[in-house]
Amino acid sequence: MKEQWKEWLRAAQQKIVPLAVKYRAVLIVLLAGVLLLASGGRGAQETAASADVTEGEAAFDLAAFEQTLCDKLAAVDGVGRVQLMLSLEQSGEAVYAVNTRQTTGMDSSQSYESDLTILSDGSYGEKPVTVKNLLPTFRGAVVLCDGADNAQVRLAVTQAVSTVCGIGTDKVTVLKMSDAS
């Protein structure tokens, strides 16, 4: 009985191995599908949680941004105390996915219909599909600091604010902070 079993295994191996080599791409896709189905509910919940985190990170808080930049500028040698005011050209905005359908009538007229793509996440309701989030655009900056009477400090602060905010150095003004502030 053992001999028949071993011989059957050898015969099966000789038939299966060439097929597995020939159709390895199909087998990989099938295996990936089985793994995705096996992870089923957990994967969907993890995706929804990561989407919520991403949306939370995408929200822009001007006050927090200004405070972070003030902290970094204050760490530069010779700057001292710092106050910062940033002005925005435009606030951030979200771009949503849109479904567009084109219909052609009998008389060669064309019409277009478009509607917002909605993602239903089960018991949590519906929300639009976000394609990308556009960050705000800065118009200019005014920086008050103790070390502004030093040209090297003014240059360093101007370049730092220009780099972080993506604006030209001509849009950044660095002024000496008064002792009363």
Side-chain angles (χ1 to χ4, degrees), residues 159-177:
Q159 287 178 339
V161 172
S162 172
T163 301
V164 170
C165 297
I167 55 178
T169 55
D170 61 323
K171 307 280 185 182
V172 179
T173 303
V174 180
L175 302 169
K176 174 105 172 113
M177 184 182 288

Side-chain angles (χ1 to χ4, degrees), residues 35-118:
L35 290 174
L36 284 173
L37 287 174
S39 66
R42 274 190 325 216
Q45 291 172 351
E46 290 171 3
T47 304
S50 68
D52 291 342
V53 170
T54 306
E55 286 178 17
E57 292 172 352
F60 181 75
D61 184 10
L62 181 61
F65 182 80
E66 285 178 341
Q67 185 59 48
T68 303
L69 187 52
C70 277
D71 294 343
K72 299 300 180 195
L73 290 174
V76 174
D77 188 35
V79 172
R81 296 176 299 152
V82 178
Q83 289 182 0
L84 173 69
M85 183 177 78
L86 295 171
S87 62
L88 296 176
E89 184 78 31
Q90 66 183 27
S91 61
E93 86 181 74
V95 178
Y96 298 109
V98 177
N99 291 328
T100 305
R101 290 176 294 285
Q102 175 184 359
T103 56
T104 306
M106 294 287 197
D107 56 350
S108 298
S109 64
Q110 294 182 346
S111 65
Y112 296 93
E113 289 181 40
S114 58
D115 57 350
L116 199 59
T117 304
I118 302 293

